[in-house]
Amino acid sequence: MLLVYAWCNYNYRPIRAKNLTWTTLIYCATVLWFIGNLVTNNHVRIVGVWSNCKLWVLWLRVFFVYVFATMTIVRFYALDRVFNQKKPFTRRSSLISGAIILSFNVAYCLVNQLISSSLTLEYVPDLEACKITMAFRIAAVSVQWLLWGACGVLIFRLRNIQSSFNEFRESVAIFLVIIGLLTETSVTNLHYEYYVFEKKRRIQKTYVDVVASVLVIWLFIGYPVYKSIFDRESYEQMWLERLAKDGPGNTYDCSNPQGTTAYAKMDENTDSGFNNSQVNYNGKGINSAYMNNHRPFGDDPFNIESGMSTHVPYNDNLLPMALRNNIHNPLLNSPSLFGGNYSNSHPDGRHVI
């Protein structure tokens, strides 16, 4: 419901700035992760054609746990690339990142698919469940720690972003949630090897996974959604005023030694404009003429108090392309933004697919 509401209110600029496409893909990964959990944690008995353990455990649970982690890394990397590395995160960057994610996760799972089932995981007919070896558990958990360790490094790099796009507090909260989840996952899988045969423990494991993954999504977009419901106009005005205060001279001052920035105009249909439409904020005349002709708050463009008292309509041309409402008349050379069926239950509490 949260994501549906966010997409229905996509024109609300604080929501649009949250990179909804990647957030939605992360949520889709959590859904498939949960489906894999149903079999991995032995909530259902798998029989007949459904008894392919590698399909459920490896290609659904493990694969999408890794997709969840790697896509979260890319989302933080987009902020790092824009605000720390001073480079654009374009559609091409998104596609390349997606290809790397897919290649890494497919390669890991394919290797485990080719390894003998006796060394990884196999179906036990008498138990109608999957047996997961300790070596496979250790490898899977270790990779998760490595991925989220890399995510922690990126979060640390985002700590000094002083702009409307600062997500450091939300990022730290997400990291703490995941560290708690990883700790619980490590203890459960390595210490309680046969937890799947204990009803309370397997329910606890699935519950913790679901709560943690959904909480991550809420931390990504929950605050602007809340504000859009209860404080819509004043919050957006405050957010835009802060964005203007950050300004091209602050947040978007990405000058290289030649005096040009790494930002470029975002073209809706192609990336071809990224190489030939850069802007020089340090050049005399360009910056002053631009600001003189586009003053959203009267004589002083960065006077927040004046803007709040007079409520002068905000000029969309001051925003990055991705956040404008009137995208059909873009101002060239503006900074860009990165853009079940179940049978009756068995007496032991499980179900049969």
Side-chain angles (χ1 to χ4, degrees), residues 61-138:
R61 192 197 189 276
V62 174
F63 181 81
F64 284 104
V65 165
Y66 291 170
V67 167
F68 177 85
T70 49
M71 292 192 72
T72 304
I73 289 173
V74 170
R75 193 182 182 283
F76 288 137
Y77 173 73
L79 288 170
D80 178 71
R81 181 176 173 86
V82 171
F83 291 100
N84 289 332
Q85 299 180 37
K86 314 303 184 186
K87 299 177 182 178
F89 190 78
T90 66
R91 180 179 304 174
R92 186 178 303 146
S93 302
S94 295
L95 292 175
I96 292 173
S97 300
I100 292 174
I101 286 174
L102 188 63
S103 300
F104 169 80
N105 292 302
V106 168
Y108 178 89
C109 291
L110 190 59
V111 169
N112 282 276
Q113 178 71 40
L114 298 176
I115 294 175
S116 172
S117 296
S118 62
L119 300 176
T120 53
L121 48 96
E122 60 184 346
Y123 180 67
V124 181
D126 292 340
L127 299 175
E128 295 179 335
C130 296
K131 176 187 175 182
I132 305 174
T133 66
M134 184 57 67
F136 182 84
R137 294 168 188 258
I138 293 173

Coordinates of all heavy atoms in Angstrom, one line a residue, residues 61-138:
R61 N 15.0 -18.1 -2.4 CA 15.4 -17.5 -1.1 C 16.8 -16.8 -1.2 O 16.9 -15.6 -1.0 CB 15.4 -18.5 0.1 CG 15.5 -17.7 1.4 CD 15.9 -18.6 2.5 NE 15.8 -17.9 3.8 CZ 16.7 -17.0 4.3 NH1 17.8 -16.8 3.6 NH2 16.6 -16.4 5.4
V62 N 17.8 -17.6 -1.5 CA 19.2 -17.1 -1.5 C 19.4 -16.0 -2.6 O 19.9 -14.9 -2.3 CB 20.2 -18.2 -1.7 CG1 21.6 -17.6 -1.8 CG2 20.1 -19.2 -0.5
F63 N 18.9 -16.3 -3.8 CA 19.1 -15.4 -4.9 C 18.4 -14.0 -4.6 O 19.1 -13.0 -4.8 CB 18.4 -16.0 -6.2 CG 18.6 -15.1 -7.4 CD1 19.7 -15.1 -8.1 CD2 17.5 -14.3 -7.8 CE1 19.9 -14.3 -9.2 CE2 17.6 -13.5 -8.9 CZ 18.8 -13.5 -9.6
F64 N 17.2 -14.0 -4.1 CA 16.6 -12.7 -3.9 C 17.0 -12.1 -2.6 O 16.8 -10.8 -2.4 CB 15.0 -12.9 -4.0 CG 14.6 -13.0 -5.4 CD1 14.2 -14.3 -5.9 CD2 14.6 -11.9 -6.2 CE1 13.8 -14.4 -7.2 CE2 14.2 -12.1 -7.6 CZ 13.8 -13.3 -8.1
V65 N 17.5 -12.8 -1.6 CA 18.2 -12.1 -0.5 C 19.4 -11.3 -1.0 O 19.6 -10.2 -0.6 CB 18.6 -13.2 0.6 CG1 19.6 -12.6 1.6 CG2 17.4 -13.7 1.3
Y66 N 20.1 -11.9 -1.9 CA 21.3 -11.2 -2.5 C 20.8 -10.1 -3.4 O 21.5 -9.0 -3.4 CB 22.2 -12.2 -3.3 CG 22.9 -13.2 -2.4 CD1 23.6 -14.2 -3.0 CD2 22.9 -13.1 -1.0 CE1 24.3 -15.2 -2.3 CE2 23.6 -14.0 -0.3 CZ 24.3 -15.1 -0.9 OH 24.9 -16.0 -0.1
V67 N 19.8 -10.3 -4.1 CA 19.3 -9.2 -5.0 C 18.8 -8.0 -4.1 O 19.1 -6.8 -4.4 CB 18.1 -9.7 -5.8 CG1 17.3 -8.5 -6.4 CG2 18.6 -10.6 -6.9
F68 N 18.1 -8.3 -3.0 CA 17.7 -7.3 -2.0 C 18.9 -6.5 -1.5 O 18.9 -5.2 -1.5 CB 17.0 -7.9 -0.8 CG 16.6 -7.0 0.2 CD1 15.4 -6.3 0.2 CD2 17.4 -6.8 1.4 CE1 15.0 -5.5 1.2 CE2 17.0 -5.9 2.4 CZ 15.8 -5.3 2.3
A69 N 20.0 -7.2 -1.2 CA 21.2 -6.5 -0.7 C 21.9 -5.7 -1.7 O 22.2 -4.5 -1.5 CB 22.1 -7.5 -0.1
T70 N 22.1 -6.3 -2.9 CA 22.8 -5.6 -4.0 C 22.1 -4.4 -4.5 O 22.7 -3.4 -4.9 CB 23.2 -6.6 -5.1 OG1 22.0 -7.3 -5.5 CG2 24.3 -7.6 -4.6
M71 N 20.8 -4.5 -4.6 CA 20.0 -3.4 -5.1 C 20.0 -2.2 -4.1 O 20.0 -1.0 -4.5 CB 18.6 -3.8 -5.4 CG 18.5 -4.7 -6.6 SD 16.8 -4.9 -7.2 CE 16.5 -3.3 -8.0
T72 N 20.0 -2.6 -2.8 CA 20.1 -1.5 -1.8 C 21.5 -0.8 -1.9 O 21.6 0.4 -1.8 CB 19.9 -2.1 -0.4 OG1 18.7 -2.8 -0.3 CG2 20.0 -1.0 0.7
I73 N 22.5 -1.6 -2.2 CA 23.9 -1.0 -2.4 C 23.8 -0.1 -3.6 O 24.4 1.0 -3.5 CB 24.9 -2.2 -2.6 CG1 25.1 -2.9 -1.3 CG2 26.2 -1.6 -3.2 CD1 26.0 -4.2 -1.5
V74 N 23.2 -0.5 -4.7 CA 23.2 0.4 -5.8 C 22.4 1.7 -5.5 O 22.8 2.8 -6.0 CB 22.6 -0.3 -7.0 CG1 22.3 0.6 -8.2 CG2 23.5 -1.5 -7.5
R75 N 21.4 1.6 -4.8 CA 20.6 2.8 -4.4 C 21.5 3.8 -3.7 O 21.4 5.0 -3.9 CB 19.4 2.4 -3.6 CG 18.4 3.5 -3.5 CD 17.2 3.1 -2.6 NE 16.2 4.2 -2.6 CZ 16.3 5.3 -1.8 NH1 17.4 5.4 -1.1 NH2 15.4 6.2 -1.8
F76 N 22.3 3.3 -2.7 CA 23.2 4.1 -2.0 C 24.3 4.6 -2.9 O 24.8 5.7 -2.7 CB 23.7 3.4 -0.7 CG 22.7 3.2 0.4 CD1 22.6 2.0 1.0 CD2 21.8 4.3 0.7 CE1 21.7 1.9 2.0 CE2 20.9 4.1 1.7 CZ 20.8 2.9 2.4
Y77 N 24.8 3.7 -3.8 CA 25.8 4.1 -4.7 C 25.4 5.3 -5.6 O 26.2 6.1 -5.9 CB 26.3 2.9 -5.5 CG 27.2 3.3 -6.6 CD1 28.6 3.6 -6.3 CD2 26.9 3.3 -7.9 CE1 29.5 3.9 -7.3 CE2 27.8 3.7 -8.9 CZ 29.1 4.0 -8.6 OH 29.9 4.3 -9.6
A78 N 24.1 5.3 -6.0 CA 23.7 6.4 -6.8 C 23.9 7.7 -6.1 O 24.3 8.7 -6.7 CB 22.2 6.2 -7.2
L79 N 23.5 7.8 -4.8 CA 23.7 9.0 -4.0 C 25.2 9.3 -3.9 O 25.6 10.5 -4.0 CB 23.1 8.9 -2.6 CG 21.6 8.9 -2.6 CD1 21.2 8.5 -1.2 CD2 21.1 10.3 -2.9
D80 N 26.0 8.3 -3.7 CA 27.5 8.5 -3.5 C 28.1 9.0 -4.9 O 28.9 10.0 -4.8 CB 28.1 7.2 -3.2 CG 29.7 7.3 -3.0 OD1 30.1 8.0 -2.1 OD2 30.4 6.8 -3.9
R81 N 27.6 8.5 -6.0 CA 28.2 8.9 -7.3 C 27.8 10.4 -7.6 O 28.6 11.1 -8.1 CB 27.6 8.0 -8.4 CG 28.1 8.3 -9.8 CD 27.6 7.3 -10.8 NE 28.0 7.7 -12.1 CZ 29.2 7.4 -12.7 NH1 30.1 6.7 -12.1 NH2 29.4 7.8 -14.0
V82 N 26.6 10.7 -7.3 CA 26.1 12.1 -7.6 C 26.8 13.1 -6.6 O 27.3 14.1 -7.1 CB 24.6 12.2 -7.5 CG1 24.1 13.6 -7.6 CG2 24.0 11.4 -8.6
F83 N 26.7 12.9 -5.3 CA 27.1 13.9 -4.4 C 28.6 13.8 -3.9 O 29.1 14.8 -3.5 CB 26.2 13.9 -3.2 CG 24.8 14.3 -3.5 CD1 23.8 13.4 -3.7 CD2 24.4 15.6 -3.6 CE1 22.5 13.7 -4.0 CE2 23.2 16.0 -4.0 CZ 22.2 15.1 -4.2
N84 N 29.2 12.6 -4.0 CA 30.6 12.5 -3.5 C 31.5 12.5 -4.7 O 32.6 13.1 -4.7 CB 30.8 11.3 -2.6 CG 30.1 11.4 -1.3 OD1 30.0 12.6 -0.8 ND2 29.7 10.3 -0.7
Q85 N 31.2 11.6 -5.7 CA 32.0 11.5 -6.9 C 31.8 12.6 -7.9 O 32.5 12.8 -8.9 CB 31.8 10.2 -7.5 CG 32.2 9.0 -6.6 CD 32.0 7.7 -7.3 OE1 32.2 7.5 -8.5 NE2 31.5 6.7 -6.6
K86 N 30.7 13.4 -7.7 CA 30.3 14.5 -8.7 C 30.1 14.0 -10.1 O 30.6 14.6 -11.0 CB 31.4 15.6 -8.6 CG 31.9 16.0 -7.2 CD 30.7 16.4 -6.4 CE 31.3 16.9 -5.0 NZ 30.2 17.2 -4.1
K87 N 29.5 12.9 -10.3 CA 29.2 12.3 -11.6 C 27.7 12.0 -11.7 O 27.0 11.8 -10.7 CB 30.0 11.0 -11.8 CG 31.5 11.2 -11.8 CD 32.2 9.9 -11.9 CE 33.7 10.1 -11.9 NZ 34.4 8.7 -12.0
P88 N 27.1 12.1 -12.9 CA 25.7 11.8 -13.0 C 25.4 10.3 -12.9 O 26.2 9.5 -13.2 CB 25.4 12.3 -14.4 CG 26.7 12.1 -15.2 CD 27.8 12.4 -14.2
F89 N 24.2 10.0 -12.4 CA 23.7 8.6 -12.4 C 22.6 8.5 -13.4 O 21.5 8.8 -13.1 CB 23.3 8.2 -11.0 CG 23.0 6.7 -10.8 CD1 24.0 5.8 -10.6 CD2 21.7 6.2 -10.8 CE1 23.8 4.5 -10.5 CE2 21.4 4.9 -10.7 CZ 22.5 4.0 -10.5
T90 N 22.9 8.1 -14.6 CA 22.0 8.2 -15.7 C 21.3 6.9 -15.9 O 21.5 5.9 -15.1 CB 22.8 8.5 -17.0 OG1 23.6 7.4 -17.3 CG2 23.6 9.7 -16.8
R91 N 20.4 6.9 -16.9 CA 19.7 5.6 -17.2 C 20.7 4.5 -17.6 O 20.5 3.4 -17.2 CB 18.7 5.9 -18.4 CG 17.9 4.7 -18.8 CD 17.0 5.0 -19.9 NE 16.1 6.1 -19.6 CZ 15.2 6.6 -20.4 NH1 15.2 6.2 -21.7 NH2 14.4 7.6 -20.0
R92 N 21.7 4.9 -18.3 CA 22.8 4.0 -18.7 C 23.4 3.4 -17.4 O 23.7 2.2 -17.3 CB 23.8 4.7 -19.6 CG 24.9 3.7 -20.1 CD 25.8 4.5 -21.0 NE 25.1 5.1 -22.1 CZ 25.4 6.3 -22.6 NH1 26.4 7.0 -22.2 NH2 24.7 6.8 -23.6
S93 N 23.7 4.3 -16.4 CA 24.3 3.8 -15.2 C 23.3 2.8 -14.5 O 23.8 1.8 -13.9 CB 24.5 5.0 -14.2 OG 25.4 6.0 -14.8
S94 N 22.0 3.1 -14.5 CA 21.1 2.1 -13.9 C 21.1 0.8 -14.6 O 21.1 -0.3 -13.9 CB 19.7 2.7 -14.0 OG 19.6 3.9 -13.2
L95 N 21.2 0.8 -15.9 CA 21.2 -0.4 -16.7 C 22.4 -1.2 -16.4 O 22.4 -2.5 -16.2 CB 21.0 -0.2 -18.2 CG 19.6 0.4 -18.6 CD1 19.7 0.7 -20.1 CD2 18.5 -0.6 -18.3
I96 N 23.6 -0.5 -16.4 CA 24.8 -1.2 -16.1 C 24.8 -1.8 -14.7 O 25.2 -2.9 -14.5 CB 26.0 -0.2 -16.3 CG1 26.2 0.2 -17.7 CG2 27.3 -0.8 -15.7 CD1 27.2 1.3 -18.0
S97 N 24.3 -1.0 -13.7 CA 24.2 -1.5 -12.3 C 23.3 -2.7 -12.3 O 23.7 -3.7 -11.6 CB 23.7 -0.4 -11.4 OG 24.5 0.7 -11.4
G98 N 22.2 -2.7 -12.9 CA 21.3 -3.8 -12.9 C 22.0 -5.1 -13.6 O 21.8 -6.2 -13.1
A99 N 22.7 -4.9 -14.6 CA 23.4 -6.0 -15.3 C 24.5 -6.6 -14.3 O 24.6 -7.8 -14.3 CB 24.1 -5.5 -16.6
I100 N 25.2 -5.8 -13.6 CA 26.2 -6.3 -12.7 C 25.5 -7.1 -11.6 O 26.0 -8.1 -11.2 CB 27.0 -5.1 -12.1 CG1 27.9 -4.4 -13.2 CG2 27.9 -5.6 -11.0 CD1 28.6 -3.2 -12.8
I101 N 24.4 -6.5 -11.0 CA 23.7 -7.2 -10.0 C 23.2 -8.6 -10.5 O 23.4 -9.6 -9.8 CB 22.4 -6.4 -9.6 CG1 22.9 -5.2 -8.7 CG2 21.5 -7.3 -8.8 CD1 21.7 -4.3 -8.4
L102 N 22.6 -8.6 -11.6 CA 22.1 -9.9 -12.2 C 23.3 -10.9 -12.4 O 23.2 -12.1 -12.1 CB 21.4 -9.6 -13.5 CG 20.6 -10.8 -14.1 CD1 19.5 -11.2 -13.2 CD2 20.0 -10.4 -15.5
S103 N 24.4 -10.4 -13.0 CA 25.5 -11.3 -13.3 C 26.1 -11.9 -12.0 O 26.4 -13.1 -11.9 CB 26.6 -10.5 -14.0 OG 26.1 -10.0 -15.2
F104 N 26.3 -11.0 -11.0 CA 26.9 -11.5 -9.7 C 26.0 -12.6 -9.1 O 26.5 -13.7 -8.7 CB 27.0 -10.4 -8.8 CG 27.4 -10.8 -7.4 CD1 28.7 -11.1 -7.0 CD2 26.4 -10.8 -6.4 CE1 29.0 -11.6 -5.7 CE2 26.7 -11.3 -5.1 CZ 28.0 -11.6 -4.8
N105 N 24.7 -12.3 -9.0 CA 23.8 -13.2 -8.3 C 23.6 -14.5 -9.1 O 23.5 -15.6 -8.5 CB 22.5 -12.5 -8.0 CG 22.6 -11.4 -7.0 OD1 23.0 -11.7 -5.9 ND2 22.2 -10.2 -7.4
V106 N 23.4 -14.4 -10.4 CA 23.3 -15.6 -11.2 C 24.5 -16.4 -11.2 O 24.4 -17.7 -11.1 CB 22.9 -15.2 -12.7 CG1 23.0 -16.4 -13.6 CG2 21.5 -14.6 -12.8
A107 N 25.7 -15.8 -11.2 CA 26.9 -16.6 -11.2 C 27.1 -17.4 -9.9 O 27.4 -18.6 -9.9 CB 28.1 -15.6 -11.3
Y108 N 26.7 -16.7 -8.7 CA 26.8 -17.4 -7.4 C 25.9 -18.6 -7.4 O 26.3 -19.7 -7.0 CB 26.5 -16.4 -6.3 CG 26.5 -17.1 -4.9 CD1 27.7 -17.1 -4.2 CD2 25.4 -17.7 -4.4 CE1 27.7 -17.8 -3.0 CE2 25.4 -18.3 -3.2 CZ 26.6 -18.3 -2.4 OH 26.6 -18.9 -1.2
C109 N 24.6 -18.4 -7.8 CA 23.6 -19.4 -7.8 C 23.9 -20.5 -8.8 O 23.7 -21.7 -8.5 CB 22.2 -18.9 -8.0 SG 21.7 -17.8 -6.6
L110 N 24.5 -20.2 -9.9 CA 24.8 -21.2 -11.0 C 25.9 -22.1 -10.5 O 25.8 -23.3 -10.7 CB 25.2 -20.5 -12.3 CG 25.3 -21.3 -13.5 CD1 24.0 -22.0 -13.8 CD2 25.7 -20.5 -14.7
V111 N 26.9 -21.5 -9.8 CA 28.0 -22.4 -9.3 C 27.4 -23.4 -8.3 O 27.7 -24.6 -8.3 CB 29.0 -21.5 -8.6 CG1 30.0 -22.4 -7.8 CG2 29.8 -20.7 -9.7
N112 N 26.5 -22.9 -7.4 CA 25.9 -23.8 -6.4 C 25.0 -24.8 -7.1 O 24.8 -25.9 -6.6 CB 25.2 -23.0 -5.4 CG 26.1 -22.4 -4.3 OD1 26.5 -23.0 -3.4 ND2 26.5 -21.1 -4.6
Q113 N 24.4 -24.4 -8.2 CA 23.5 -25.3 -8.9 C 24.3 -26.5 -9.5 O 23.8 -27.6 -9.5 CB 22.8 -24.6 -10.0 CG 21.9 -25.4 -10.9 CD 20.6 -25.9 -10.1 OE1 20.0 -25.1 -9.4 NE2 20.2 -27.1 -10.4
L114 N 25.5 -26.2 -9.9 CA 26.3 -27.2 -10.6 C 27.0 -28.1 -9.6 O 27.5 -29.2 -9.9 CB 27.3 -26.6 -11.5 CG 26.7 -25.8 -12.7 CD1 27.8 -25.1 -13.5 CD2 25.9 -26.6 -13.6
I115 N 27.2 -27.7 -8.4 CA 27.8 -28.5 -7.3 C 26.9 -29.6 -6.9 O 25.7 -29.4 -6.9 CB 28.2 -27.6 -6.1 CG1 29.3 -26.6 -6.5 CG2 28.8 -28.5 -5.0 CD1 29.7 -25.6 -5.4
S116 N 27.4 -30.7 -6.6 CA 26.6 -31.8 -6.1 C 25.7 -31.5 -5.0 O 26.0 -30.7 -4.1 CB 27.5 -33.0 -5.7 OG 26.8 -34.0 -5.1
S117 N 24.5 -32.0 -5.1 CA 23.4 -31.7 -4.1 C 23.9 -32.2 -2.7 O 23.5 -31.6 -1.7 CB 22.1 -32.3 -4.5 OG 21.6 -31.8 -5.6
S118 N 24.7 -33.2 -2.6 CA 25.1 -33.7 -1.3 C 26.0 -32.7 -0.6 O 26.2 -32.8 0.6 CB 25.8 -35.1 -1.5 OG 27.0 -34.9 -2.3
L119 N 26.6 -31.8 -1.3 CA 27.5 -30.8 -0.8 C 26.8 -29.4 -0.5 O 27.4 -28.6 0.2 CB 28.7 -30.5 -1.7 CG 29.6 -31.8 -2.0 CD1 30.7 -31.4 -3.0 CD2 30.2 -32.3 -0.7
T120 N 25.6 -29.3 -1.0 CA 24.9 -28.0 -0.9 C 23.5 -28.3 -0.2 O 23.4 -28.1 1.0 CB 24.7 -27.3 -2.2 OG1 24.1 -28.3 -3.1 CG2 26.0 -26.9 -2.8
L121 N 22.5 -28.7 -1.0 CA 21.2 -29.0 -0.4 C 20.5 -30.0 -1.2 O 20.7 -30.1 -2.4 CB 20.4 -27.7 -0.3 CG 20.3 -26.8 -1.5 CD1 19.1 -27.1 -2.3 CD2 20.3 -25.3 -1.1
E122 N 19.7 -30.8 -0.6 CA 19.0 -31.9 -1.3 C 17.7 -32.2 -0.6 O 17.5 -31.9 0.5 CB 19.9 -33.2 -1.3 CG 20.3 -33.7 0.0 CD 21.3 -34.9 -0.1 OE1 21.4 -35.4 -1.2 OE2 21.9 -35.3 1.0
Y123 N 16.9 -32.9 -1.4 CA 15.5 -33.2 -0.9 C 15.6 -34.6 -0.1 O 16.2 -35.5 -0.6 CB 14.6 -33.4 -2.1 CG 13.2 -33.7 -1.7 CD1 12.4 -32.9 -1.0 CD2 12.6 -35.0 -2.1 CE1 11.1 -33.2 -0.6 CE2 11.3 -35.3 -1.8 CZ 10.6 -34.4 -1.0 OH 9.3 -34.8 -0.7
V124 N 14.9 -34.6 1.0 CA 14.8 -35.8 1.8 C 13.4 -36.3 1.8 O 12.5 -35.8 2.4 CB 15.3 -35.6 3.3 CG1 15.2 -36.9 4.1 CG2 16.7 -35.0 3.3
P125 N 13.1 -37.4 1.0 CA 11.7 -37.8 0.8 C 11.0 -38.2 2.1 O 9.8 -37.9 2.3 CB 11.9 -39.1 -0.1 CG 13.2 -38.9 -0.8 CD 14.1 -38.2 0.2
D126 N 11.7 -38.8 3.0 CA 11.1 -39.3 4.3 C 10.6 -38.1 5.1 O 9.6 -38.2 5.8 CB 12.1 -40.1 5.1 CG 12.4 -41.4 4.5 OD1 11.6 -41.9 3.6 OD2 13.4 -42.0 4.8
L127 N 11.3 -37.0 5.0 CA 10.9 -35.8 5.8 C 10.1 -34.8 4.9 O 9.5 -33.9 5.5 CB 12.2 -35.0 6.3 CG 13.1 -35.8 7.2 CD1 14.4 -35.0 7.5 CD2 12.4 -36.2 8.5
E128 N 10.0 -35.0 3.6 CA 9.4 -34.1 2.7 C 9.8 -32.7 2.9 O 9.1 -31.7 3.0 CB 7.8 -34.2 2.9 CG 7.3 -35.6 2.5 CD 5.8 -35.7 2.6 OE1 5.2 -34.9 3.5 OE2 5.2 -36.5 1.9
A129 N 11.2 -32.5 3.0 CA 11.8 -31.3 3.3 C 13.2 -31.2 2.7 O 13.7 -32.3 2.2 CB 11.8 -31.0 4.8
C130 N 13.8 -30.0 2.7 CA 15.1 -29.9 2.1 C 16.2 -29.9 3.3 O 16.0 -29.3 4.3 CB 15.2 -28.5 1.4 SG 14.1 -28.4 0.0
K131 N 17.2 -30.7 3.0 CA 18.4 -30.7 3.9 C 19.4 -29.8 3.4 O 19.9 -29.9 2.3 CB 18.9 -32.1 4.0 CG 20.2 -32.2 4.9 CD 20.8 -33.6 4.8 CE 22.1 -33.7 5.6 NZ 22.7 -35.1 5.5
I132 N 19.8 -28.8 4.2 CA 20.8 -27.8 3.8 C 22.1 -28.1 4.6 O 22.1 -28.1 5.8 CB 20.3 -26.4 4.1 CG1 19.0 -26.2 3.4 CG2 21.3 -25.3 3.6 CD1 18.3 -24.8 3.8
T133 N 23.2 -28.3 3.9 CA 24.5 -28.6 4.5 C 25.0 -27.4 5.3 O 24.7 -26.2 4.9 CB 25.5 -29.1 3.5 OG1 25.8 -28.0 2.6 CG2 25.0 -30.3 2.7
M134 N 25.9 -27.6 6.2 CA 26.5 -26.5 7.0 C 27.4 -25.7 6.1 O 27.5 -24.5 6.3 CB 27.2 -27.1 8.2 CG 27.8 -26.1 9.1 SD 26.6 -24.9 9.8 CE 25.6 -26.0 10.8
A135 N 28.1 -26.3 5.2 CA 29.0 -25.6 4.3 C 28.2 -24.6 3.5 O 28.7 -23.4 3.3 CB 29.8 -26.5 3.4
F136 N 27.1 -25.0 3.0 CA 26.2 -24.1 2.2 C 25.7 -22.9 3.1 O 25.7 -21.8 2.6 CB 25.1 -24.8 1.6 CG 24.2 -24.0 0.7 CD1 24.5 -23.8 -0.6 CD2 23.0 -23.4 1.3 CE1 23.7 -23.0 -1.4 CE2 22.2 -22.6 0.5 CZ 22.5 -22.5 -0.9
R137 N 25.3 -23.2 4.3 CA 24.8 -22.2 5.2 C 25.9 -21.1 5.5 O 25.7 -19.9 5.4 CB 24.4 -22.8 6.6 CG 23.2 -23.7 6.5 CD 23.0 -24.5 7.8 NE 22.0 -25.5 7.7 CZ 20.8 -25.4 8.2 NH1 20.4 -24.4 8.8 NH2 19.9 -26.4 8.0
I138 N 27.1 -21.6 5.8 CA 28.2 -20.7 6.1 C 28.5 -19.8 4.9 O 28.7 -18.6 5.1 CB 29.5 -21.5 6.5 CG1 29.2 -22.2 7.9 CG2 30.7 -20.6 6.6 CD1 30.3 -23.2 8.3

